[in-house]
Amino acid sequence: MATETHGAENAAAAASACVDSHGSAVGMPQLCGEWIGNQVFWLVITLVVIYLILAKIALPRIASVLAERQGTITNDIAAAEELKRKAEESEAAYQQALADARAQAQAIAQKTRDDIKADLDAEMAKADEAISAKAAESEKAISAIRASAMENVEIVAKETAAALVAALGGKADDAKIANAVSNRLKG
Amino acid sequence: MEGDLAHIGAGLAAIGSGAAAIGVGNVAGNFLAGALRNPSAAASQTATLFIGIAFAEALGIFSFLVSLLLMFAV
Amino acid sequence: MATETHGAEAAAEGSSLVFHPMDQFIVKPLFGHGDVGMFTITNVTLWLALAILAIFVMMVLGTSRRAVVPGRSQSVAELAYGFVHKMVEDVTGKDGLKYFPYIMTLFMFIVTANFLGLIPMSFTTTSHFAVTVVLALAVFLTVTILGFVKNGASFLGLFWVSSAPLALRPILAIIELISYFVRPVSHSIRLAGNVMAGHAVIKVFAGFAAIAAISPISVLAITAMYGLEVLVAFIQAYVFTILTCVYLKDALHPHH
């Protein structure tokens, strides 16, 4: 039955040498000479039309879209680079500021320390001076005391010597005794 | 009788299709073996693979064609 | 009438299975029932026109929005563009990109015609040698003429294998010459043969489906063959295109 309907469908086209009365192919349809011209004719037209569609419209359009996309991507990457660079810059600036502040703080601390040290030194020097003045004064007092003590010793020695001479029965010459005692004390 | 001989010839010619199948299998199998040893080089050689398969298969198609000609055109 | 149904049943029972695997390739006029002349509008015309329409829709309408972030249809067009562009650039080098529109035309036509041919009841234009021979001869003649125009007589160096021993070179030259002239033959028959073989095999399996006992297997086989044919439809277009690129490379750089 299938072949019957098939045949009926194609039967009218049986005028060709390549198709039998049932509409079936005689031999290989690919080798049927009388169809070749038709196929080649329409194929050439088709190829030309496809070529024109592709070369004139489609391919330039796709190429431009791809180029545009490439451009967009490149731009975006460049923008990202720029942003990254800026971020790095601001970080560097921040670090710089931090370092500056730290240095300044250090300088202030140093300065304060130096000031205190200078004050301290000055006070110290003053104190030293006062101490040494006091020491000199004391020295002077001591030497004065020593000198007066020496004098007293001389007087006592003279008196003692005079008393000794008198006790021994001599007649003491004051001047001689004073002289002798002074000599002996210096001696 | 002549037609019968032609059909036998067509069957014999069809053996060539099997031979081409062996050839194609050889190409693909060796490619796979090579690709598994050096997977990084495989991607660049797929074009060569398809060209090789195409050449091997073309001969099988020739024998298939001879068989068709014997069946339908003789 | 009774005998008629009886005969049909007998045919269906398998005593005389009727295969018409080649009927699908018949060229017939679209209007009327006359002869097929050169300018007759036939089913060939119809399916070629549909191929043009499909390409137009895919490549022109699909990209009409020119979106930077592509939609679905636009990315198909861009994928096809990138695929062929990369192929041409990889195989022939930068100077082959001049011929990219021609190769793109070939690829788009073959892949579209192959896929349109997979629609049931359709007519497969690329299954006819008349079509593929024109394509292959166009490539062959273009490449040969281009080779002589670009390289002059040194294009013949393609046949003179300078890396072989001197004694072998004449023999190799003959072999190279033969293989060069076989190129358009294999180029065209590979495409038409693959497509025709697939379609004819599907038709043969469809003929077996008339036998009730094996019809499930037959349907499964048709499904499997159809899947294979989808693959073949693309791979043959790819192979045709990449071989065109290889031949073009030979014409542009005959000294390997």
Side-chain angles (χ1 to χ4, degrees), chain A residues 48-107:
Chain A
V48 170
V49 171
I50 292 176
Y51 174 74
L52 290 179
I53 288 176
L54 289 180
K56 299 292 172 210
I57 309 174
L59 298 186
R61 184 184 288 179
I62 296 174
S64 75
V65 167
L66 291 181
E68 193 183 326
R69 179 174 313 150
Q70 195 59 47
T72 310
I73 290 170
T74 314
N75 285 346
D76 285 358
I77 288 174
E81 289 284 341
E82 179 70 21
L83 286 178
K84 195 182 167 203
R85 207 176 52 73
K86 270 187 187 154
E88 270 166 7
E89 252 170 31
S90 54
E91 199 203 333
Y94 164 74
Q95 292 287 1
Q96 184 63 42
L98 202 64
D100 282 355
R102 198 171 285 146
Q104 212 167 340
Q106 210 127 36

Side-chain angles (χ1 to χ4, degrees), chain C residues 74-92:
Chain C
Q74 189 181 329
S75 50
V76 169
E78 281 174 14
L79 219 60
Y81 180 97
F83 180 71
V84 180
H85 197 269
K86 186 171 178 302
M87 196 196 305
V88 175
E89 194 174 357
D90 284 356
V91 177
T92 58

Side-chain angles (χ1 to χ4, degrees), chain C:
Chain C
M1 195 63 199
T3 50
E4 195 62 41
T5 42
H6 183 76
E9 269 170 15
E13 282 309 305
S15 60
S16 59
L17 270 178
V18 193
F19 297 115
H20 294 289
M22 307 313 271
D23 282 5
Q24 56 180 324
F25 303 123
I26 292 173
V27 177
K28 52 194 172 219
L30 213 55
F31 310 107
H33 303 291
D35 270 346
V36 176
M38 185 140 172
F39 309 113
T40 318
I41 295 176
T42 57
N43 48 359
V44 179
T45 321
L46 171 68
W47 288 99
L48 288 176
L50 284 177
I52 295 177
L53 188 70
I55 291 172
F56 184 79
V57 167
M58 192 158 68
M59 302 300 285
V60 176
L61 298 187
T63 58
S64 58
R65 280 178 49 233
R66 297 163 183 263
V68 173
V69 179
R72 205 175 294 172
S73 56
Q74 189 181 329
S75 50
V76 169
E78 281 174 14
L79 219 60
Y81 180 97
F83 180 71
V84 180
H85 197 269
K86 186 171 178 302
M87 196 196 305
V88 175
E89 194 174 357
D90 284 356
V91 177
T92 58
K94 286 268 182 211
D95 47 349
L97 284 179
K98 234 186 321 181
Y99 309 100
F100 166 64
Y102 301 99
I103 293 171
M104 186 73 182
T105 305
L106 281 179
F107 177 78
M108 288 311 292
F109 169 69
I110 294 171
V111 83
T112 316
N114 281 354
F115 278 125
L116 282 178
L118 283 173
I119 298 170
M121 308 301 291
S122 72
F123 176 83
T124 319
T125 46
T126 41
S127 70
H128 274 264
F129 295 130
V131 170
T132 58
V133 165
V134 169
L135 296 175
L137 267 185
V139 169
F140 179 75
L141 290 178
T142 313
V143 157
T144 308
I145 293 168
L146 199 68
F148 279 111
V149 169
K150 287 258 171 190
N151 304 292
S154 74
F155 181 58
L156 294 171
L158 186 63
F159 307 112
W160 196 250
V161 187
S162 50
S163 56
L166 192 59
L168 280 177
R169 284 185 205 172
I171 305 165
L172 280 178
I174 292 170
I175 294 174
E176 289 280 329
L177 202 64
I178 292 172
S179 82
Y180 188 81
F181 281 101
V182 167
R183 274 179 182 183
V185 180
S186 67
H187 206 186
S188 59
I189 287 182
R190 180 181 302 115
L191 175 57
N194 265 296
V195 175
M196 174 181 40
H199 285 68
V201 166
I202 288 180
K203 263 287 172 2
V204 169
F205 278 126
F208 279 121
I211 306 169
I214 59 170
S215 62
I217 301 170
S218 171
V219 170
L220 279 180
I222 290 174
T223 314
M225 279 307 295
Y226 195 89
L228 187 68
E229 281 309 295
V230 171
L231 209 66
V232 164
F234 177 75
I235 286 179
Q236 287 310 315
Y238 172 67
V239 163
F240 194 98
T241 318
I242 203 165
L243 283 177
T244 306
C245 292
V246 170
Y247 298 160
L248 187 64
K249 186 202 76 183
D250 279 352
L252 295 176
H253 317 285
H255 303 292
H256 302 288

Side-chain angles (χ1 to χ4, degrees), chain B residues 7 13 15-16 18 20 26-27 30 37 44-46 49 51 54-55 60 63-65 67 70:
Chain B
H7 280 81
I15 295 172
N26 251 330
V27 174
N30 282 328
R37 279 187 199 189
S44 62
Q45 296 305 317
T46 45
L49 168 75
I51 293 175
F55 279 130
S63 73
F64 168 74
L65 189 73
S67 148
L70 287 171

